[in-house]
Amino acid sequence: MNTNLKFKLYDKKKNKIVNYVDCSISIADGGVQSFNKDGIMQGTLNNRHLIPIQYAGKKDMNGIEIYQGFIVKRIDRVTKEHVITGAVTFKNCSWWIENKVENRKVLLFTLSPVDTVIGNIYQDKELAREIGSEFKEEIKNG
């Protein structure tokens, strides 16, 4: 398991997941504090449209990094059977693939899965709805 603590940001205004290097993320409330090109803070009020999403420390079979809120399809490496399709979540100190419609979840880190990122809950509304993980955050103040 990778111990790097990395984040990407979902930009609600652009409906896009972005890499943003000129910011810090508040652990307490998940707020994003950005800085201008001169290193001057710009304030979190202007950044309520930015949602931090954490790296889970794992890549899928195609080398794509898996982040919180990504939708993963899991196939068993041995039996080749479909195991679950769900959103990656962090609960009870562990990363999970969770399908709320089927009311089940499996650990992200196991021995014989083949995981493939097929979307994310932020941009793929229909796919997120199918697994019961709709992203409902509204843009506030901006």
PDB file of all heavy atoms in Angstrom, residues 64-95:
ATOM      1  N   ILE A  64      -4.230   3.677 -13.667  1.00  0.00           N
ATOM      2  CA  ILE A  64      -4.925   4.897 -13.257  1.00  0.00           C
ATOM      3  C   ILE A  64      -4.989   4.940 -11.729  1.00  0.00           C
ATOM      4  O   ILE A  64      -5.418   3.971 -11.093  1.00  0.00           O
ATOM      5  CB  ILE A  64      -6.348   4.946 -13.855  1.00  0.00           C
ATOM      6  CG1 ILE A  64      -6.269   4.996 -15.385  1.00  0.00           C
ATOM      7  CG2 ILE A  64      -7.134   6.133 -13.306  1.00  0.00           C
ATOM      8  CD1 ILE A  64      -7.604   4.825 -16.071  1.00  0.00           C
ATOM      9  N   GLU A  65      -4.565   6.056 -11.152  1.00  0.00           N
ATOM     10  CA  GLU A  65      -4.643   6.213  -9.700  1.00  0.00           C
ATOM     11  C   GLU A  65      -6.102   6.253  -9.271  1.00  0.00           C
ATOM     12  O   GLU A  65      -6.932   6.896  -9.913  1.00  0.00           O
ATOM     13  CB  GLU A  65      -3.942   7.497  -9.260  1.00  0.00           C
ATOM     14  CG  GLU A  65      -2.444   7.452  -9.455  1.00  0.00           C
ATOM     15  CD  GLU A  65      -1.751   8.722  -9.016  1.00  0.00           C
ATOM     16  OE1 GLU A  65      -2.373   9.814  -9.054  1.00  0.00           O
ATOM     17  OE2 GLU A  65      -0.570   8.634  -8.627  1.00  0.00           O
ATOM     18  N   ILE A  66      -6.411   5.567  -8.176  1.00  0.00           N
ATOM     19  CA  ILE A  66      -7.775   5.489  -7.658  1.00  0.00           C
ATOM     20  C   ILE A  66      -7.932   6.503  -6.525  1.00  0.00           C
ATOM     21  O   ILE A  66      -7.175   6.482  -5.561  1.00  0.00           O
ATOM     22  CB  ILE A  66      -8.100   4.069  -7.162  1.00  0.00           C
ATOM     23  CG1 ILE A  66      -7.970   3.073  -8.320  1.00  0.00           C
ATOM     24  CG2 ILE A  66      -9.495   4.011  -6.542  1.00  0.00           C
ATOM     25  CD1 ILE A  66      -8.121   1.612  -7.910  1.00  0.00           C
ATOM     26  N   TYR A  67      -8.935   7.378  -6.679  1.00  0.00           N
ATOM     27  CA  TYR A  67      -9.227   8.414  -5.695  1.00  0.00           C
ATOM     28  C   TYR A  67     -10.610   8.201  -5.092  1.00  0.00           C
ATOM     29  O   TYR A  67     -11.455   7.515  -5.674  1.00  0.00           O
ATOM     30  CB  TYR A  67      -9.187   9.807  -6.351  1.00  0.00           C
ATOM     31  CG  TYR A  67      -7.785  10.314  -6.590  1.00  0.00           C
ATOM     32  CD1 TYR A  67      -7.046   9.879  -7.680  1.00  0.00           C
ATOM     33  CD2 TYR A  67      -7.199  11.221  -5.719  1.00  0.00           C
ATOM     34  CE1 TYR A  67      -5.757  10.344  -7.896  1.00  0.00           C
ATOM     35  CE2 TYR A  67      -5.910  11.691  -5.926  1.00  0.00           C
ATOM     36  CZ  TYR A  67      -5.193  11.243  -7.024  1.00  0.00           C
ATOM     37  OH  TYR A  67      -3.917  11.700  -7.222  1.00  0.00           O
ATOM     38  N   GLN A  68     -10.814   8.796  -3.935  1.00  0.00           N
ATOM     39  CA  GLN A  68     -12.117   8.802  -3.269  1.00  0.00           C
ATOM     40  C   GLN A  68     -13.180   9.277  -4.267  1.00  0.00           C
ATOM     41  O   GLN A  68     -12.999  10.282  -4.950  1.00  0.00           O
ATOM     42  CB  GLN A  68     -12.030   9.750  -2.089  1.00  0.00           C
ATOM     43  CG  GLN A  68     -13.284  10.023  -1.353  1.00  0.00           C
ATOM     44  CD  GLN A  68     -13.044  11.086  -0.274  1.00  0.00           C
ATOM     45  OE1 GLN A  68     -11.934  11.516  -0.011  1.00  0.00           O
ATOM     46  NE2 GLN A  68     -14.109  11.504   0.348  1.00  0.00           N
ATOM     47  N   GLY A  69     -14.281   8.541  -4.368  1.00  0.00           N
ATOM     48  CA  GLY A  69     -15.356   8.918  -5.274  1.00  0.00           C
ATOM     49  C   GLY A  69     -15.224   8.341  -6.674  1.00  0.00           C
ATOM     50  O   GLY A  69     -16.134   8.487  -7.479  1.00  0.00           O
ATOM     51  N   PHE A  70     -14.108   7.689  -6.971  1.00  0.00           N
ATOM     52  CA  PHE A  70     -13.977   7.037  -8.272  1.00  0.00           C
ATOM     53  C   PHE A  70     -14.841   5.780  -8.275  1.00  0.00           C
ATOM     54  O   PHE A  70     -14.992   5.113  -7.250  1.00  0.00           O
ATOM     55  CB  PHE A  70     -12.528   6.681  -8.569  1.00  0.00           C
ATOM     56  CG  PHE A  70     -11.722   7.834  -9.116  1.00  0.00           C
ATOM     57  CD1 PHE A  70     -12.040   9.147  -8.844  1.00  0.00           C
ATOM     58  CD2 PHE A  70     -10.621   7.592  -9.908  1.00  0.00           C
ATOM     59  CE1 PHE A  70     -11.296  10.204  -9.352  1.00  0.00           C
ATOM     60  CE2 PHE A  70      -9.873   8.629 -10.424  1.00  0.00           C
ATOM     61  CZ  PHE A  70     -10.208   9.938 -10.150  1.00  0.00           C
ATOM     62  N   ILE A  71     -15.403   5.464  -9.411  1.00  0.00           N
ATOM     63  CA  ILE A  71     -16.244   4.267  -9.544  1.00  0.00           C
ATOM     64  C   ILE A  71     -15.384   3.163 -10.143  1.00  0.00           C
ATOM     65  O   ILE A  71     -14.768   3.338 -11.195  1.00  0.00           O
ATOM     66  CB  ILE A  71     -17.487   4.554 -10.396  1.00  0.00           C
ATOM     67  CG1 ILE A  71     -18.318   5.660  -9.728  1.00  0.00           C
ATOM     68  CG2 ILE A  71     -18.308   3.276 -10.587  1.00  0.00           C
ATOM     69  CD1 ILE A  71     -19.466   6.173 -10.573  1.00  0.00           C
ATOM     70  N   VAL A  72     -15.344   2.048  -9.425  1.00  0.00           N
ATOM     71  CA  VAL A  72     -14.471   0.932  -9.784  1.00  0.00           C
ATOM     72  C   VAL A  72     -15.308  -0.314 -10.052  1.00  0.00           C
ATOM     73  O   VAL A  72     -16.237  -0.626  -9.308  1.00  0.00           O
ATOM     74  CB  VAL A  72     -13.463   0.662  -8.638  1.00  0.00           C
ATOM     75  CG1 VAL A  72     -12.686  -0.613  -8.864  1.00  0.00           C
ATOM     76  CG2 VAL A  72     -12.526   1.847  -8.460  1.00  0.00           C
ATOM     77  N   LYS A  73     -14.955  -0.993 -11.132  1.00  0.00           N
ATOM     78  CA  LYS A  73     -15.549  -2.309 -11.431  1.00  0.00           C
ATOM     79  C   LYS A  73     -14.503  -3.352 -11.058  1.00  0.00           C
ATOM     80  O   LYS A  73     -13.358  -3.279 -11.506  1.00  0.00           O
ATOM     81  CB  LYS A  73     -15.884  -2.411 -12.917  1.00  0.00           C
ATOM     82  CG  LYS A  73     -16.468  -3.738 -13.312  1.00  0.00           C
ATOM     83  CD  LYS A  73     -16.811  -3.750 -14.795  1.00  0.00           C
ATOM     84  CE  LYS A  73     -17.397  -5.077 -15.206  1.00  0.00           C
ATOM     85  NZ  LYS A  73     -17.703  -5.093 -16.640  1.00  0.00           N
ATOM     86  N   ARG A  74     -14.895  -4.293 -10.199  1.00  0.00           N
ATOM     87  CA  ARG A  74     -13.971  -5.335  -9.734  1.00  0.00           C
ATOM     88  C   ARG A  74     -14.351  -6.691 -10.314  1.00  0.00           C
ATOM     89  O   ARG A  74     -15.504  -7.106 -10.244  1.00  0.00           O
ATOM     90  CB  ARG A  74     -13.965  -5.419  -8.218  1.00  0.00           C
ATOM     91  CG  ARG A  74     -13.166  -6.627  -7.712  1.00  0.00           C
ATOM     92  CD  ARG A  74     -12.892  -6.586  -6.265  1.00  0.00           C
ATOM     93  NE  ARG A  74     -11.846  -5.585  -6.022  1.00  0.00           N
ATOM     94  CZ  ARG A  74     -11.418  -5.255  -4.808  1.00  0.00           C
ATOM     95  NH1 ARG A  74     -11.939  -5.825  -3.750  1.00  0.00           N
ATOM     96  NH2 ARG A  74     -10.475  -4.349  -4.653  1.00  0.00           N
ATOM     97  N   ILE A  75     -13.342  -7.366 -10.860  1.00  0.00           N
ATOM     98  CA  ILE A  75     -13.464  -8.730 -11.365  1.00  0.00           C
ATOM     99  C   ILE A  75     -12.493  -9.587 -10.553  1.00  0.00           C
ATOM    100  O   ILE A  75     -11.375  -9.166 -10.264  1.00  0.00           O
ATOM    101  CB  ILE A  75     -13.078  -8.803 -12.867  1.00  0.00           C
ATOM    102  CG1 ILE A  75     -13.907  -7.842 -13.710  1.00  0.00           C
ATOM    103  CG2 ILE A  75     -13.159 -10.228 -13.399  1.00  0.00           C
ATOM    104  CD1 ILE A  75     -15.371  -8.139 -13.757  1.00  0.00           C
ATOM    105  N   ASP A  76     -12.907 -10.799 -10.196  1.00  0.00           N
ATOM    106  CA  ASP A  76     -12.018 -11.717  -9.491  1.00  0.00           C
ATOM    107  C   ASP A  76     -10.979 -12.257 -10.475  1.00  0.00           C
ATOM    108  O   ASP A  76     -11.329 -12.746 -11.548  1.00  0.00           O
ATOM    109  CB  ASP A  76     -12.812 -12.874  -8.874  1.00  0.00           C
ATOM    110  CG  ASP A  76     -11.935 -13.764  -8.026  1.00  0.00           C
ATOM    111  OD1 ASP A  76     -11.254 -14.637  -8.600  1.00  0.00           O
ATOM    112  OD2 ASP A  76     -11.929 -13.587  -6.793  1.00  0.00           O
ATOM    113  N   ARG A  77      -9.711 -12.148 -10.118  1.00  0.00           N
ATOM    114  CA  ARG A  77      -8.617 -12.555 -11.005  1.00  0.00           C
ATOM    115  C   ARG A  77      -8.664 -14.052 -11.327  1.00  0.00           C
ATOM    116  O   ARG A  77      -8.330 -14.466 -12.424  1.00  0.00           O
ATOM    117  CB  ARG A  77      -7.274 -12.208 -10.370  1.00  0.00           C
ATOM    118  CG  ARG A  77      -6.078 -12.496 -11.244  1.00  0.00           C
ATOM    119  CD  ARG A  77      -4.760 -12.145 -10.575  1.00  0.00           C
ATOM    120  NE  ARG A  77      -4.699 -10.822 -10.006  1.00  0.00           N
ATOM    121  CZ  ARG A  77      -4.415  -9.700 -10.668  1.00  0.00           C
ATOM    122  NH1 ARG A  77      -4.174  -9.758 -11.947  1.00  0.00           N
ATOM    123  NH2 ARG A  77      -4.368  -8.544 -10.050  1.00  0.00           N
ATOM    124  N   VAL A  78      -9.102 -14.862 -10.385  1.00  0.00           N
ATOM    125  CA  VAL A  78      -9.093 -16.315 -10.564  1.00  0.00           C
ATOM    126  C   VAL A  78     -10.337 -16.785 -11.315  1.00  0.00           C
ATOM    127  O   VAL A  78     -10.242 -17.461 -12.336  1.00  0.00           O
ATOM    128  CB  VAL A  78      -8.973 -17.029  -9.198  1.00  0.00           C
ATOM    129  CG1 VAL A  78      -9.060 -18.536  -9.367  1.00  0.00           C
ATOM    130  CG2 VAL A  78      -7.684 -16.627  -8.496  1.00  0.00           C
ATOM    131  N   THR A  79     -11.522 -16.414 -10.813  1.00  0.00           N
ATOM    132  CA  THR A  79     -12.768 -16.922 -11.398  1.00  0.00           C
ATOM    133  C   THR A  79     -13.254 -16.102 -12.584  1.00  0.00           C
ATOM    134  O   THR A  79     -14.130 -16.538 -13.324  1.00  0.00           O
ATOM    135  CB  THR A  79     -13.892 -16.949 -10.348  1.00  0.00           C
ATOM    136  OG1 THR A  79     -14.205 -15.601  -9.970  1.00  0.00           O
ATOM    137  CG2 THR A  79     -13.492 -17.769  -9.130  1.00  0.00           C
ATOM    138  N   LYS A  80     -12.700 -14.877 -12.731  1.00  0.00           N
ATOM    139  CA  LYS A  80     -13.107 -13.940 -13.794  1.00  0.00           C
ATOM    140  C   LYS A  80     -14.545 -13.457 -13.641  1.00  0.00           C
ATOM    141  O   LYS A  80     -15.122 -12.886 -14.552  1.00  0.00           O
ATOM    142  CB  LYS A  80     -12.928 -14.539 -15.197  1.00  0.00           C
ATOM    143  CG  LYS A  80     -11.563 -15.121 -15.478  1.00  0.00           C
ATOM    144  CD  LYS A  80     -10.510 -14.049 -15.532  1.00  0.00           C
ATOM    145  CE  LYS A  80      -9.185 -14.653 -16.002  1.00  0.00           C
ATOM    146  NZ  LYS A  80      -8.051 -14.214 -15.269  1.00  0.00           N
ATOM    147  N   GLU A  81     -15.131 -13.676 -12.470  1.00  0.00           N
ATOM    148  CA  GLU A  81     -16.513 -13.246 -12.218  1.00  0.00           C
ATOM    149  C   GLU A  81     -16.544 -11.812 -11.700  1.00  0.00           C
ATOM    150  O   GLU A  81     -15.634 -11.364 -10.999  1.00  0.00           O
ATOM    151  CB  GLU A  81     -17.173 -14.175 -11.197  1.00  0.00           C
ATOM    152  CG  GLU A  81     -17.400 -15.572 -11.725  1.00  0.00           C
ATOM    153  CD  GLU A  81     -18.080 -16.480 -10.707  1.00  0.00           C
ATOM    154  OE1 GLU A  81     -18.519 -15.985  -9.651  1.00  0.00           O
ATOM    155  OE2 GLU A  81     -18.149 -17.685 -10.961  1.00  0.00           O
ATOM    156  N   HIS A  82     -17.630 -11.113 -12.039  1.00  0.00           N
ATOM    157  CA  HIS A  82     -17.856  -9.760 -11.535  1.00  0.00           C
ATOM    158  C   HIS A  82     -18.070  -9.839 -10.026  1.00  0.00           C
ATOM    159  O   HIS A  82     -18.868 -10.644  -9.543  1.00  0.00           O
ATOM    160  CB  HIS A  82     -19.082  -9.142 -12.213  1.00  0.00           C
ATOM    161  CG  HIS A  82     -19.425  -7.792 -11.706  1.00  0.00           C
ATOM    162  ND1 HIS A  82     -20.404  -7.587 -10.769  1.00  0.00           N
ATOM    163  CD2 HIS A  82     -18.896  -6.570 -11.985  1.00  0.00           C
ATOM    164  CE1 HIS A  82     -20.477  -6.292 -10.508  1.00  0.00           C
ATOM    165  NE2 HIS A  82     -19.583  -5.654 -11.231  1.00  0.00           N
ATOM    166  N   VAL A  83     -17.355  -9.024  -9.272  1.00  0.00           N
ATOM    167  CA  VAL A  83     -17.477  -9.010  -7.813  1.00  0.00           C
ATOM    168  C   VAL A  83     -18.378  -7.861  -7.376  1.00  0.00           C
ATOM    169  O   VAL A  83     -19.339  -8.057  -6.647  1.00  0.00           O
ATOM    170  CB  VAL A  83     -16.089  -8.904  -7.137  1.00  0.00           C
ATOM    171  CG1 VAL A  83     -16.224  -8.795  -5.629  1.00  0.00           C
ATOM    172  CG2 VAL A  83     -15.213 -10.083  -7.524  1.00  0.00           C
ATOM    173  N   ILE A  84     -18.061  -6.643  -7.829  1.00  0.00           N
ATOM    174  CA  ILE A  84     -18.822  -5.457  -7.431  1.00  0.00           C
ATOM    175  C   ILE A  84     -18.454  -4.296  -8.348  1.00  0.00           C
ATOM    176  O   ILE A  84     -17.346  -4.250  -8.881  1.00  0.00           O
ATOM    177  CB  ILE A  84     -18.552  -5.080  -5.950  1.00  0.00           C
ATOM    178  CG1 ILE A  84     -19.560  -4.040  -5.435  1.00  0.00           C
ATOM    179  CG2 ILE A  84     -17.125  -4.608  -5.765  1.00  0.00           C
ATOM    180  CD1 ILE A  84     -19.501  -3.810  -3.920  1.00  0.00           C
ATOM    181  N   THR A  85     -19.394  -3.403  -8.528  1.00  0.00           N
ATOM    182  CA  THR A  85     -19.133  -2.097  -9.121  1.00  0.00           C
ATOM    183  C   THR A  85     -19.621  -1.087  -8.101  1.00  0.00           C
ATOM    184  O   THR A  85     -20.771  -1.157  -7.661  1.00  0.00           O
ATOM    185  CB  THR A  85     -19.874  -1.912 -10.463  1.00  0.00           C
ATOM    186  OG1 THR A  85     -19.396  -2.896 -11.387  1.00  0.00           O
ATOM    187  CG2 THR A  85     -19.629  -0.519 -11.032  1.00  0.00           C
ATOM    188  N   GLY A  86     -18.737  -0.178  -7.679  1.00  0.00           N
ATOM    189  CA  GLY A  86     -19.124   0.770  -6.645  1.00  0.00           C
ATOM    190  C   GLY A  86     -18.162   1.937  -6.548  1.00  0.00           C
ATOM    191  O   GLY A  86     -17.145   1.990  -7.236  1.00  0.00           O
ATOM    192  N   ALA A  87     -18.510   2.858  -5.664  1.00  0.00           N
ATOM    193  CA  ALA A  87     -17.695   4.048  -5.438  1.00  0.00           C
ATOM    194  C   ALA A  87     -16.667   3.778  -4.345  1.00  0.00           C
ATOM    195  O   ALA A  87     -16.961   3.105  -3.351  1.00  0.00           O
ATOM    196  CB  ALA A  87     -18.584   5.222  -5.024  1.00  0.00           C
ATOM    197  N   VAL A  88     -15.484   4.321  -4.519  1.00  0.00           N
ATOM    198  CA  VAL A  88     -14.420   4.175  -3.532  1.00  0.00           C
ATOM    199  C   VAL A  88     -14.695   5.158  -2.391  1.00  0.00           C
ATOM    200  O   VAL A  88     -14.900   6.349  -2.606  1.00  0.00           O
ATOM    201  CB  VAL A  88     -13.045   4.439  -4.165  1.00  0.00           C
ATOM    202  CG1 VAL A  88     -11.948   4.450  -3.111  1.00  0.00           C
ATOM    203  CG2 VAL A  88     -12.753   3.387  -5.226  1.00  0.00           C
ATOM    204  N   THR A  89     -14.757   4.619  -1.167  1.00  0.00           N
ATOM    205  CA  THR A  89     -15.024   5.421   0.020  1.00  0.00           C
ATOM    206  C   THR A  89     -14.004   5.063   1.104  1.00  0.00           C
ATOM    207  O   THR A  89     -13.402   3.996   1.073  1.00  0.00           O
ATOM    208  CB  THR A  89     -16.440   5.173   0.577  1.00  0.00           C
ATOM    209  OG1 THR A  89     -16.561   3.788   0.944  1.00  0.00           O
ATOM    210  CG2 THR A  89     -17.512   5.510  -0.432  1.00  0.00           C
ATOM    211  N   PHE A  90     -13.849   5.970   2.062  1.00  0.00           N
ATOM    212  CA  PHE A  90     -12.981   5.709   3.208  1.00  0.00           C
ATOM    213  C   PHE A  90     -13.852   5.718   4.448  1.00  0.00           C
ATOM    214  O   PHE A  90     -14.401   6.753   4.823  1.00  0.00           O
ATOM    215  CB  PHE A  90     -11.879   6.767   3.319  1.00  0.00           C
ATOM    216  CG  PHE A  90     -10.849   6.441   4.355  1.00  0.00           C
ATOM    217  CD1 PHE A  90      -9.859   5.503   4.096  1.00  0.00           C
ATOM    218  CD2 PHE A  90     -10.860   7.055   5.594  1.00  0.00           C
ATOM    219  CE1 PHE A  90      -8.901   5.194   5.056  1.00  0.00           C
ATOM    220  CE2 PHE A  90      -9.920   6.753   6.554  1.00  0.00           C
ATOM    221  CZ  PHE A  90      -8.931   5.820   6.284  1.00  0.00           C
ATOM    222  N   LYS A  91     -14.006   4.551   5.075  1.00  0.00           N
ATOM    223  CA  LYS A  91     -14.834   4.419   6.277  1.00  0.00           C
ATOM    224  C   LYS A  91     -14.156   3.463   7.246  1.00  0.00           C
ATOM    225  O   LYS A  91     -13.544   2.480   6.825  1.00  0.00           O
ATOM    226  CB  LYS A  91     -16.221   3.857   5.925  1.00  0.00           C
ATOM    227  CG  LYS A  91     -17.059   4.771   5.069  1.00  0.00           C
ATOM    228  CD  LYS A  91     -18.411   4.163   4.763  1.00  0.00           C
ATOM    229  CE  LYS A  91     -19.217   5.115   3.897  1.00  0.00           C
ATOM    230  NZ  LYS A  91     -20.481   4.533   3.496  1.00  0.00           N
ATOM    231  N   ASN A  92     -14.299   3.734   8.516  1.00  0.00           N
ATOM    232  CA  ASN A  92     -13.756   2.863   9.563  1.00  0.00           C
ATOM    233  C   ASN A  92     -12.280   2.542   9.327  1.00  0.00           C
ATOM    234  O   ASN A  92     -11.861   1.397   9.442  1.00  0.00           O
ATOM    235  CB  ASN A  92     -14.571   1.569   9.666  1.00  0.00           C
ATOM    236  CG  ASN A  92     -16.023   1.835   9.963  1.00  0.00           C
ATOM    237  OD1 ASN A  92     -16.348   2.723  10.734  1.00  0.00           O
ATOM    238  ND2 ASN A  92     -16.906   1.085   9.323  1.00  0.00           N
ATOM    239  N   CYS A  93     -11.515   3.560   8.970  1.00  0.00           N
ATOM    240  CA  CYS A  93     -10.062   3.444   8.777  1.00  0.00           C
ATOM    241  C   CYS A  93      -9.657   2.525   7.628  1.00  0.00           C
ATOM    242  O   CYS A  93      -8.549   1.992   7.613  1.00  0.00           O
ATOM    243  CB  CYS A  93      -9.378   3.000  10.069  1.00  0.00           C
ATOM    244  SG  CYS A  93      -9.630   4.155  11.427  1.00  0.00           S
ATOM    245  N   SER A  94     -10.548   2.306   6.657  1.00  0.00           N
ATOM    246  CA  SER A  94     -10.237   1.446   5.518  1.00  0.00           C
ATOM    247  C   SER A  94     -10.852   2.000   4.239  1.00  0.00           C
ATOM    248  O   SER A  94     -11.879   2.675   4.279  1.00  0.00           O
ATOM    249  CB  SER A  94     -10.791   0.030   5.743  1.00  0.00           C
ATOM    250  OG  SER A  94     -10.164  -0.587   6.827  1.00  0.00           O
ATOM    251  N   TRP A  95     -10.231   1.670   3.117  1.00  0.00           N
ATOM    252  CA  TRP A  95     -10.778   2.015   1.805  1.00  0.00           C
ATOM    253  C   TRP A  95     -11.692   0.892   1.345  1.00  0.00           C
ATOM    254  O   TRP A  95     -11.362  -0.286   1.458  1.00  0.00           O
ATOM    255  CB  TRP A  95      -9.647   2.216   0.791  1.00  0.00           C
ATOM    256  CG  TRP A  95      -8.887   3.480   1.022  1.00  0.00           C
ATOM    257  CD1 TRP A  95      -7.670   3.608   1.644  1.00  0.00           C
ATOM    258  CD2 TRP A  95      -9.287   4.797   0.652  1.00  0.00           C
ATOM    259  NE1 TRP A  95      -7.296   4.925   1.678  1.00  0.00           N
ATOM    260  CE2 TRP A  95      -8.267   5.684   1.064  1.00  0.00           C
ATOM    261  CE3 TRP A  95     -10.408   5.322   0.001  1.00  0.00           C
ATOM    262  CZ2 TRP A  95      -8.340   7.051   0.856  1.00  0.00           C
ATOM    263  CZ3 TRP A  95     -10.471   6.688  -0.210  1.00  0.00           C
ATOM    264  CH2 TRP A  95      -9.442   7.535   0.215  1.00  0.00           C
TER     265      TRP A  95
END
